[in-house]
Amino acid sequence: MLTRKEFFNRAAHDWDEKYATVHLSTFLEKTVPKFGLRKGQDVLDVGTGTGVLIPYLLDCVGSSGSVTAIDYAKKMMEKCRLKFSSLKNLNIRLLNVEQLDYPPETFHVAICFGVFPHIPNKPEALLQINRALKLGGRFIIAHALSSHEIEIHHRKAPTVAFDALPKNGEMKNLLKSAGFDDVSITDQPGCYLCISTKL
Ligand SMILES: C[S@@+](CC[C@H](N)C(=O)[O-])C[C@H]1O[C@@H](n2cnc3c(N)ncnc32)[C@H](O)[C@@H]1O
C-alpha cells in the first residue's frame, strides 16, 4: 500500500480537474468569510495541496498581509508553484506540519482545509501549530463535507480509508491539550468547520 505522501504525490496531477470545481468555489466563497480574516494578517495554509484556498486567503489579508502555504507532497507543491509563484505576499514551502520550524508567534491564523484527518500524529501537529500562532491567534479546520461524508469519501482509497476527524468531544480535548480554547464545531452536510483560539 502507498504511504500517504506517495498517495498525495500521485494524486497531484489531476487534483484540480477533480476537486477545483464550481461547487468548491461556491463553498469557499460562502465559508472563507467565516474564518474572520482581516487585512494585514499573516496566515498559514497547512496542507495547501495545489493551493485551492490561496486566492481566497490572499484576497482577505490584502497586500499588507501574507499567506504561507505548506505541504509535504513535492508534486502538490510543484503544481501550486506553477499557479502562484509570481505572487509577492505568498510563501510556498515543502514542509511537514509535524516539523513546523517557524519562530513562535509568527502567524495570526492557521488553517487546515481538507487535511486534518490525514495527519497521523495529531497531538504533535497541534502543538506545532499552536507554537507558531500568535497569542489570541485562530486555528481553523475546514472541510466541504461533514465528518460522516468525509469517512464515506475516504473509503474509496485504501491509503486514506481510515482517515477521519476525531469526534467532537475528542477534538475539543485534543485542542485543549495543545493550548487552544473557545472551540466551536459545526458539522453538517457539505460543511465541517472547527474554529479555536490560542490561549
Ligand atoms: C486532501 S488534500 C487537500 C489539499 C488542499 N488543502 C485542498 O483542499 O485541495 C490533503 C493535503 O495535505 C497534505 N498533507 C497531508 N499530511 C500532511 C503533513 N503532515 N504535512 C503537510 N502536508 C500534509 C497532502 O500532501 C495533501 O496535499
Side-chain angles (χ1 to χ4, degrees), residues 9-155:
N9 272 316
R10 287 197 186 187
H13 78 282
D14 62 351
W15 190 265
D16 283 353
E17 285 80 354
K18 275 187 175 160
Y19 298 112
T21 58
V22 174
H23 174 76
L24 183 68
S25 306
T26 308
F27 170 82
L28 291 174
E29 275 159 25
K30 202 170 76 179
T31 307
V32 172
K34 296 181 186 166
F35 296 174
L37 299 174
R38 295 194 303 274
K39 299 283 178 211
Q41 287 190 321
D42 300 312
V43 177
L44 178 66
D45 179 10
V46 175
T48 190
T50 61
V52 295
L53 193 55
I54 287 173
Y56 298 87
L57 301 180
L58 283 174
D59 193 41
C60 291
V61 301
S63 54
S64 57
S66 73
V67 173
T68 297
I70 66 160
D71 201 291
Y72 72 173
K74 207 172 161 198
K75 297 281 181 198
M76 288 285 193
M77 291 283 80
E78 285 170 6
K79 288 269 175 186
C80 186
R81 285 200 176 97
L82 269 178
K83 291 195 292 184
F84 299 117
S85 61
S86 61
L87 298 178
K88 276 194 188 128
N89 51 343
L90 171 66
N91 311 298
I92 299 170
R93 254 187 95 189
L94 184 69
L95 187 64
N96 188 329
V97 66
E98 291 176 31
Q99 289 149 19
L100 275 191
D101 54 2
Y102 294 98
E105 308 200 9
T106 298
F107 300 103
H108 296 91
V109 180
I111 300 165
C112 281
F113 178 55
V115 181
F116 200 69
H118 303 302
I119 298 173
N121 190 344
K122 292 177 175 54
E124 181 57 29
L126 288 174
L127 284 174
Q128 297 281 337
I129 290 168
N130 186 275
R131 183 177 157 279
L133 277 172
K134 295 178 189 293
L135 281 178
R138 282 147 72 90
F139 175 49
I140 293 160
I141 298 170
H143 293 264
L145 297 172
S146 70
S147 60
H148 179 62
E149 290 164 341
I150 290 166
E151 286 174 25
I152 294 168
H153 176 63
H154 285 170
R155 275 180 215 153

Side-chain angles (χ1 to χ4, degrees), residues 166-176 183 185 192:
K167 301 291 173 219
N168 288 357
E170 195 192 336
M171 180 67 97
K172 285 181 184 173
N173 287 338
L174 273 171
L175 287 164
K176 288 200 172 169
V183 183
I185 299 176
Y192 178 92

